[in-house]
Amino acid sequence: MQLTPTNAWAAYRLGVGDVLEIAVVGSPDLRYKTAVNIDGEIVFPLIGSLKVIGLSLLEVRNALGSALSTKMVRMRAADTRDSVSAITPEEVLVNIVEYRPIYLDGDISKPGEQAYRPNMTVRQAISAAGGYDITRFRMSNPVLELVDLRSQYEVFRSEIIQKEARVARLQAELDSKATFELKILPQSSTESVPLPQVRNFEAELLNARKVDHDREKSYLNNAIKQADARLSTLNAQQQQEGEGVRLDVAEFERVKGLLDKGQGTVIRVTDARRALLLSSTRQLQTSALATQVEVQRDELSRRLQKLDDDRHMNIMNELQTTSMELDAARSRLRAAQEKIVYVGTVRSELVRGTGGNPEIVVFRMGADGEEQITAGQDMLLKPGDIVQITLKSEPSER
């Protein structure tokens, strides 16, 4: 449809995306289509670019006529003869051949760009976009979707039960308790994991891990006691052997002194030296063995201390991880619950055959900037309008 400056749309203001057809009477070569570009300009032969954004068609025609009035072009007269003459403003024609589009967004079947037609209403634009879309989740079947969501909901509940039981068990381990209390929501009859089964499993695991830890701790304590007893025996043996070495040294000195006086024999000196060497060797062996046992005992004590430290650290790490997993499972449960409520509402609307009450807001560029207009379905649209459509669920009948 063409629009000239003489009809009802003469006051229309051009915007980016509008397509104009400009012609000069008597000059077929000067019929040209041009779109208002992003800079708000059009391009036309002989004059180049011209700023037209925000102007009416009459103002554009006057601007073109003024710019072309100094140009000489070949004109064709009524008798088909050509002549060269100047262009007068009255010979310039300006029409709109394509308006900038409108945009629809929200709860409609085909949101996006729509071609504008003069006197188009909101209702017509929605109809051209496929009508309202009450299935905002793009569900193939809200009834089946609701069944799937309820199944997910029960799975998430079961996961939360297991995580809460694990957290309670880990906290009991951390506090060195033999039992734990499990405070959770009442169980649904459709949950896949029975609550008593979860509680019994975690209780058995708590007991098994405690027994294993106590067994390892008892083993290390007994080993330390045995090392202490052996070390005590070796220390006593060291004292006896030290006394024996002292006596052997005294005996060796005595027989050596007799030999020096000519009253002893070499054989007796040799036997005394051999006895001293033997007792000294036994003392060194006992001392080395005692040192080895002491090192082993220190290692056992270190393992005993590390056993408790490692257990505490492992429980803390596992408790932190499980608590984070529990928070994530609770978030998924809340999301599933909200979806169930929403899809249930959508299903009810489908059963009643209604799409709810549409809330329509039109965003339009005016002289003072963007305007936000609350609209009805029979409101006339303008090129470039952005229409936001939101369906409001109808109140449930009680």
Side-chain angles (χ1 to χ4, degrees):
M1 177 178 178
Q2 294 186 343
L3 184 66
T4 65
T6 58
N7 64 24
W9 279 76
Y12 175 70
R13 300 292 172 175
L14 296 177
V16 175
D18 286 329
V19 179
L20 304 180
E21 183 179 58
I22 304 170
V24 176
V25 176
S27 181
D29 294 336
L30 290 180
R31 180 176 293 272
Y32 193 73
K33 287 184 180 180
T34 178
V36 182
N37 62 26
I38 195 170
D39 296 322
E41 299 175 344
I42 60 172
V43 178
F44 190 73
L46 301 179
I47 62 173
S49 61
L50 179 68
K51 196 81 169 183
V52 299
I53 191 168
L55 301 181
S56 67
L57 289 180
L58 183 58
E59 290 171 336
V60 174
R61 180 185 179 185
N62 292 337
L64 285 169
S66 176
L68 291 172
S69 62
T70 60
K71 309 296 180 182
M72 303 295 291
V73 297
R74 185 179 298 275
M75 306 291 285
R76 179 170 296 177
D79 58 2
T80 70
R81 288 184 300 176
D82 292 342
S83 63
V84 177
S85 62
I87 301 174
T88 63
E90 292 76 14
E91 293 174 325
V92 178
L93 302 178
V94 181
N95 300 319
I96 296 181
V97 294
E98 183 179 335
Y99 293 94
R100 60 187 183 272
I102 60 174
Y103 300 89
L104 278 74
D105 189 23
D107 297 327
I108 55 174
S109 296
K110 298 176 182 177
E113 182 180 301
Q114 286 277 340
Y116 176 80
R117 297 183 301 277
N119 298 320
M120 173 182 274
T121 65
V122 172
R123 189 188 306 274
Q124 292 170 337
I126 293 173
S127 178
Y132 295 115
D133 180 15
I134 65 172
T135 56
R136 282 164 281 183
F137 283 134
R138 301 298 188 265
M139 293 171 270
S140 57
N141 188 321
V143 177
L144 296 179
E145 185 79 10
L146 188 58
V147 173
D148 290 341
L149 286 172
R150 284 174 176 167
S151 176
Q152 291 180 16
Y153 179 84
E154 296 302 336
V155 170
F156 294 149
R157 271 185 58 90
S158 297
E159 183 180 359
I160 288 175
I161 290 174
Q162 295 178 62
K163 299 296 184 186
E164 288 181 336
R166 186 178 302 171
V167 168
R169 186 256 301 168
L170 289 170
Q171 190 62 52
E173 283 191 70
L174 201 60
D175 298 337
S176 299
K177 295 181 179 179
T179 59
F180 63 89
E181 294 183 2
L182 188 56
K183 299 179 180 179
I184 58 178
L185 296 174
Q187 187 180 18
S188 169
S189 60
T190 58
E191 285 172 351
S192 57
V193 182
L195 177 57
Q197 180 179 335
V198 174
R199 183 187 290 110
N200 292 338
F201 173 79
E202 294 296 338
E204 292 175 0
L205 187 57
L206 173 64
N207 182 65
R209 290 175 59 148
K210 183 178 184 304
V211 169
D212 184 67
H213 176 74
D214 291 345
R215 184 184 297 115
E216 180 69 15
K217 194 171 183 179
S218 177
Y219 166 78
L220 291 174
N221 282 322
N222 289 335
I224 290 174
K225 290 180 180 179
Q226 292 176 4
D228 287 339
R230 190 176 181 189
L231 192 59
S232 177
T233 301
L234 290 173
N235 288 334
Q237 186 177 341
Q238 268 190 300
Q239 292 179 357
Q240 294 177 358
E241 290 176 350
E243 181 63 21
V245 169
R246 187 184 65 77
L247 293 176
D248 288 340
V249 168
E251 177 63 17
F252 174 74
E253 293 295 337
R254 189 184 69 80
V255 297
K256 186 174 180 295
L258 292 176
L259 179 62
D260 291 341
K261 294 178 181 180
Q263 298 176 357
T265 62
V266 175
I267 295 176
R268 290 190 63 186
V269 173
T270 301
D271 290 341
R273 183 183 291 113
R274 185 181 297 111
L276 176 60
L277 180 60
L278 182 60
S279 61
S280 298
T281 301
R282 283 198 302 267
Q283 185 187 30
L284 288 174
Q285 290 175 343
T286 302
S287 177
L289 186 57
T291 301
Q292 182 179 356
V293 171
E294 189 172 0
V295 170
Q296 291 175 350
R297 185 197 180 283
D298 291 342
E299 175 63 19
L300 290 171
S301 297
R302 189 190 68 81
R303 284 177 57 187
L304 181 62
Q305 179 64 37
K306 190 173 183 296
L307 179 67
D308 288 333
D309 293 342
D310 287 351
R311 177 175 178 269
H312 186 272
M313 184 176 298
N314 291 336
I315 293 174
M316 287 292 294
N317 290 336
E318 191 175 354
L319 182 60
Q320 182 181 15
T321 300
T322 305
S323 297
M324 293 174 61
E325 293 173 351
L326 178 59
D327 290 339
R330 285 171 175 165
S331 297
R332 291 194 293 270
L333 182 70
R334 285 193 296 269
Q337 191 172 15
E338 291 173 0
K339 287 181 180 180
I340 287 173
V341 172
Y342 183 81
V343 176
T345 303
V346 171
R347 186 185 68 168
S348 298
E349 292 176 354
L350 286 175
V351 172
R352 294 196 304 268
T354 178
N357 302 314
E359 179 182 278
I360 302 171
V361 179
V362 176
F363 298 90
R364 175 178 296 168
M365 290 302 299
D368 299 326
E370 186 178 73
E371 302 174 358
Q372 183 174 326
I373 306 169
T374 301
Q377 298 187 64
D378 295 323
M379 174 183 173
L380 289 175
L381 295 174
K382 290 187 177 181
D385 282 350
I386 300 174
V387 184
Q388 177 70 43
I389 300 161
T390 305
L391 290 181
K392 298 295 184 180
S393 300
E394 294 181 351
S396 301
E397 296 182 1
R398 296 185 181 273

mmCIF file of all heavy atoms in Angstrom, residues 162-185:
data_model
loop_
_atom_site.group_PDB
_atom_site.id
_atom_site.type_symbol
_atom_site.label_atom_id
_atom_site.label_comp_id
_atom_site.label_asym_id
_atom_site.label_seq_id
_atom_site.Cartn_x
_atom_site.Cartn_y
_atom_site.Cartn_z
ATOM 1 N N GLN A 162 18.262 -39.744 51.700
ATOM 2 C CA GLN A 162 19.556 -40.426 51.801
ATOM 3 C C GLN A 162 20.658 -39.454 52.230
ATOM 4 O O GLN A 162 21.509 -39.796 53.071
ATOM 5 C CB GLN A 162 19.901 -41.052 50.453
ATOM 6 C CG GLN A 162 18.939 -42.160 50.026
ATOM 7 C CD GLN A 162 19.282 -42.732 48.669
ATOM 8 O OE1 GLN A 162 20.353 -43.289 48.465
ATOM 9 N NE2 GLN A 162 18.367 -42.611 47.727
ATOM 10 N N LYS A 163 20.656 -38.236 51.669
ATOM 11 C CA LYS A 163 21.687 -37.263 52.019
ATOM 12 C C LYS A 163 21.544 -36.813 53.472
ATOM 13 O O LYS A 163 22.548 -36.669 54.188
ATOM 14 C CB LYS A 163 21.583 -36.039 51.099
ATOM 15 C CG LYS A 163 21.775 -36.322 49.614
ATOM 16 C CD LYS A 163 23.147 -36.831 49.282
ATOM 17 C CE LYS A 163 23.303 -37.001 47.776
ATOM 18 N NZ LYS A 163 24.596 -37.627 47.429
ATOM 19 N N GLU A 164 20.317 -36.593 53.933
ATOM 20 C CA GLU A 164 20.123 -36.173 55.319
ATOM 21 C C GLU A 164 20.545 -37.270 56.285
ATOM 22 O O GLU A 164 21.120 -36.986 57.346
ATOM 23 C CB GLU A 164 18.659 -35.791 55.534
ATOM 24 C CG GLU A 164 18.266 -34.475 54.875
ATOM 25 C CD GLU A 164 16.818 -34.110 55.123
ATOM 26 O OE1 GLU A 164 16.025 -35.034 55.390
ATOM 27 O OE2 GLU A 164 16.482 -32.911 55.042
ATOM 28 N N ALA A 165 20.260 -38.523 55.939
ATOM 29 C CA ALA A 165 20.690 -39.634 56.793
ATOM 30 C C ALA A 165 22.211 -39.710 56.840
ATOM 31 O O ALA A 165 22.803 -39.959 57.899
ATOM 32 C CB ALA A 165 20.102 -40.941 56.261
ATOM 33 N N ARG A 166 22.853 -39.475 55.692
ATOM 34 C CA ARG A 166 24.323 -39.513 55.666
ATOM 35 C C ARG A 166 24.914 -38.376 56.489
ATOM 36 O O ARG A 166 25.904 -38.568 57.212
ATOM 37 C CB ARG A 166 24.814 -39.419 54.224
ATOM 38 C CG ARG A 166 26.326 -39.606 54.080
ATOM 39 C CD ARG A 166 26.750 -39.554 52.630
ATOM 40 N NE ARG A 166 26.051 -40.568 51.852
ATOM 41 C CZ ARG A 166 26.089 -40.649 50.527
ATOM 42 N NH1 ARG A 166 26.787 -39.769 49.835
ATOM 43 N NH2 ARG A 166 25.434 -41.600 49.887
ATOM 44 N N VAL A 167 24.316 -37.176 56.398
ATOM 45 C CA VAL A 167 24.803 -36.048 57.192
ATOM 46 C C VAL A 167 24.666 -36.339 58.681
ATOM 47 O O VAL A 167 25.584 -36.079 59.473
ATOM 48 C CB VAL A 167 24.030 -34.760 56.820
ATOM 49 C CG1 VAL A 167 24.306 -33.657 57.838
ATOM 50 C CG2 VAL A 167 24.426 -34.285 55.432
ATOM 51 N N ALA A 168 23.534 -36.915 59.086
ATOM 52 C CA ALA A 168 23.320 -37.248 60.503
ATOM 53 C C ALA A 168 24.333 -38.287 60.972
ATOM 54 O O ALA A 168 24.881 -38.180 62.070
ATOM 55 C CB ALA A 168 21.901 -37.768 60.697
ATOM 56 N N ARG A 169 24.597 -39.277 60.127
ATOM 57 C CA ARG A 169 25.567 -40.311 60.499
ATOM 58 C C ARG A 169 26.977 -39.732 60.603
ATOM 59 O O ARG A 169 27.729 -40.043 61.552
ATOM 60 C CB ARG A 169 25.518 -41.434 59.466
ATOM 61 C CG ARG A 169 26.381 -42.647 59.831
ATOM 62 C CD ARG A 169 27.665 -42.694 59.037
ATOM 63 N NE ARG A 169 27.382 -42.738 57.611
ATOM 64 C CZ ARG A 169 28.303 -42.548 56.678
ATOM 65 N NH1 ARG A 169 29.553 -42.271 57.037
ATOM 66 N NH2 ARG A 169 27.994 -42.588 55.385
ATOM 67 N N LEU A 170 27.375 -38.874 59.666
ATOM 68 C CA LEU A 170 28.712 -38.271 59.696
ATOM 69 C C LEU A 170 28.869 -37.358 60.913
ATOM 70 O O LEU A 170 29.939 -37.323 61.532
ATOM 71 C CB LEU A 170 28.951 -37.485 58.406
ATOM 72 C CG LEU A 170 29.131 -38.329 57.136
ATOM 73 C CD1 LEU A 170 29.123 -37.442 55.899
ATOM 74 C CD2 LEU A 170 30.425 -39.130 57.200
ATOM 75 N N GLN A 171 27.810 -36.636 61.261
ATOM 76 C CA GLN A 171 27.883 -35.773 62.434
ATOM 77 C C GLN A 171 28.039 -36.604 63.708
ATOM 78 O O GLN A 171 28.771 -36.219 64.628
ATOM 79 C CB GLN A 171 26.626 -34.897 62.515
ATOM 80 C CG GLN A 171 26.710 -33.795 63.551
ATOM 81 C CD GLN A 171 27.818 -32.807 63.262
ATOM 82 O OE1 GLN A 171 27.901 -32.271 62.165
ATOM 83 N NE2 GLN A 171 28.682 -32.580 64.240
ATOM 84 N N ALA A 172 27.367 -37.757 63.755
ATOM 85 C CA ALA A 172 27.520 -38.652 64.905
ATOM 86 C C ALA A 172 28.946 -39.189 64.989
ATOM 87 O O ALA A 172 29.531 -39.290 66.072
ATOM 88 C CB ALA A 172 26.521 -39.807 64.791
ATOM 89 N N GLU A 173 29.515 -39.545 63.837
ATOM 90 C CA GLU A 173 30.914 -39.998 63.823
ATOM 91 C C GLU A 173 31.833 -38.897 64.320
ATOM 92 O O GLU A 173 32.775 -39.153 65.083
ATOM 93 C CB GLU A 173 31.316 -40.406 62.403
ATOM 94 C CG GLU A 173 30.805 -41.761 61.958
ATOM 95 C CD GLU A 173 31.461 -42.211 60.668
ATOM 96 O OE1 GLU A 173 32.663 -42.536 60.706
ATOM 97 O OE2 GLU A 173 30.784 -42.223 59.631
ATOM 98 N N LEU A 174 31.570 -37.663 63.878
ATOM 99 C CA LEU A 174 32.424 -36.546 64.269
ATOM 100 C C LEU A 174 32.349 -36.306 65.769
ATOM 101 O O LEU A 174 33.353 -35.931 66.399
ATOM 102 C CB LEU A 174 31.993 -35.295 63.503
ATOM 103 C CG LEU A 174 32.993 -34.161 63.368
ATOM 104 C CD1 LEU A 174 34.242 -34.622 62.642
ATOM 105 C CD2 LEU A 174 32.370 -32.989 62.633
ATOM 106 N N ASP A 175 31.166 -36.515 66.338
ATOM 107 C CA ASP A 175 30.972 -36.316 67.780
ATOM 108 C C ASP A 175 31.252 -37.569 68.599
ATOM 109 O O ASP A 175 30.996 -37.596 69.811
ATOM 110 C CB ASP A 175 29.537 -35.852 68.043
ATOM 111 C CG ASP A 175 29.230 -34.522 67.377
ATOM 112 O OD1 ASP A 175 30.185 -33.764 67.100
ATOM 113 O OD2 ASP A 175 28.045 -34.239 67.105
ATOM 114 N N SER A 176 31.747 -38.633 67.917
ATOM 115 C CA SER A 176 32.071 -39.909 68.582
ATOM 116 C C SER A 176 30.853 -40.501 69.293
ATOM 117 O O SER A 176 30.948 -41.010 70.421
ATOM 118 C CB SER A 176 33.225 -39.713 69.578
ATOM 119 O OG SER A 176 34.385 -39.263 68.922
ATOM 120 N N LYS A 177 29.693 -40.424 68.635
ATOM 121 C CA LYS A 177 28.467 -40.999 69.173
ATOM 122 C C LYS A 177 28.180 -42.333 68.495
ATOM 123 O O LYS A 177 28.528 -42.541 67.338
ATOM 124 C CB LYS A 177 27.288 -40.053 68.963
ATOM 125 C CG LYS A 177 27.395 -38.742 69.740
ATOM 126 C CD LYS A 177 26.173 -37.869 69.493
ATOM 127 C CE LYS A 177 26.256 -36.573 70.280
ATOM 128 N NZ LYS A 177 25.069 -35.702 70.025
ATOM 129 N N ALA A 178 27.527 -43.225 69.239
ATOM 130 C CA ALA A 178 27.224 -44.546 68.704
ATOM 131 C C ALA A 178 25.907 -44.576 67.945
ATOM 132 O O ALA A 178 25.636 -45.517 67.191
ATOM 133 C CB ALA A 178 27.190 -45.576 69.840
ATOM 134 N N THR A 179 25.041 -43.552 68.128
ATOM 135 C CA THR A 179 23.742 -43.492 67.451
ATOM 136 C C THR A 179 23.522 -42.081 66.921
ATOM 137 O O THR A 179 24.258 -41.145 67.271
ATOM 138 C CB THR A 179 22.598 -43.860 68.404
ATOM 139 O OG1 THR A 179 22.595 -42.956 69.521
ATOM 140 C CG2 THR A 179 22.758 -45.293 68.906
ATOM 141 N N PHE A 180 22.495 -41.920 66.084
ATOM 142 C CA PHE A 180 22.165 -40.606 65.556
ATOM 143 C C PHE A 180 20.654 -40.497 65.400
ATOM 144 O O PHE A 180 19.950 -41.498 65.284
ATOM 145 C CB PHE A 180 22.858 -40.358 64.213
ATOM 146 C CG PHE A 180 22.438 -41.306 63.123
ATOM 147 C CD1 PHE A 180 21.350 -41.029 62.294
ATOM 148 C CD2 PHE A 180 23.148 -42.485 62.910
ATOM 149 C CE1 PHE A 180 20.977 -41.900 61.298
ATOM 150 C CE2 PHE A 180 22.774 -43.366 61.911
ATOM 151 C CZ PHE A 180 21.687 -43.076 61.094
ATOM 152 N N GLU A 181 20.175 -39.244 65.388
ATOM 153 C CA GLU A 181 18.757 -38.971 65.173
ATOM 154 C C GLU A 181 18.564 -38.453 63.756
ATOM 155 O O GLU A 181 19.366 -37.659 63.265
ATOM 156 C CB GLU A 181 18.250 -37.925 66.171
ATOM 157 C CG GLU A 181 18.272 -38.403 67.616
ATOM 158 C CD GLU A 181 17.699 -37.359 68.556
ATOM 159 O OE1 GLU A 181 17.259 -36.305 68.041
ATOM 160 O OE2 GLU A 181 17.702 -37.593 69.773
ATOM 161 N N LEU A 182 17.489 -38.903 63.114
ATOM 162 C CA LEU A 182 17.196 -38.514 61.741
ATOM 163 C C LEU A 182 15.896 -37.730 61.728
ATOM 164 O O LEU A 182 14.815 -38.296 61.921
ATOM 165 C CB LEU A 182 17.092 -39.761 60.844
ATOM 166 C CG LEU A 182 16.982 -39.518 59.345
ATOM 167 C CD1 LEU A 182 18.149 -38.677 58.846
ATOM 168 C CD2 LEU A 182 16.941 -40.844 58.596
ATOM 169 N N LYS A 183 16.001 -36.405 61.508
ATOM 170 C CA LYS A 183 14.829 -35.543 61.479
ATOM 171 C C LYS A 183 14.583 -35.100 60.040
ATOM 172 O O LYS A 183 15.277 -34.225 59.521
ATOM 173 C CB LYS A 183 15.035 -34.317 62.370
ATOM 174 C CG LYS A 183 15.254 -34.664 63.842
ATOM 175 C CD LYS A 183 15.476 -33.423 64.665
ATOM 176 C CE LYS A 183 15.700 -33.765 66.140
ATOM 177 N NZ LYS A 183 15.947 -32.558 66.953
ATOM 178 N N ILE A 184 13.613 -35.731 59.391
ATOM 179 C CA ILE A 184 13.277 -35.403 58.012
ATOM 180 C C ILE A 184 11.764 -35.317 57.862
ATOM 181 O O ILE A 184 11.012 -35.644 58.789
ATOM 182 C CB ILE A 184 13.845 -36.445 57.023
ATOM 183 C CG1 ILE A 184 13.308 -37.830 57.355
ATOM 184 C CG2 ILE A 184 15.337 -36.450 57.035
ATOM 185 C CD1 ILE A 184 13.775 -38.894 56.401
ATOM 186 N N LEU A 185 11.339 -34.898 56.669
ATOM 187 C CA LEU A 185 9.910 -34.778 56.402
ATOM 188 C C LEU A 185 9.242 -36.143 56.417
ATOM 189 O O LEU A 185 9.884 -37.163 56.127
ATOM 190 C CB LEU A 185 9.705 -34.116 55.038
ATOM 191 C CG LEU A 185 10.202 -32.666 54.905
ATOM 192 C CD1 LEU A 185 10.048 -32.210 53.456
ATOM 193 C CD2 LEU A 185 9.440 -31.756 55.840
#
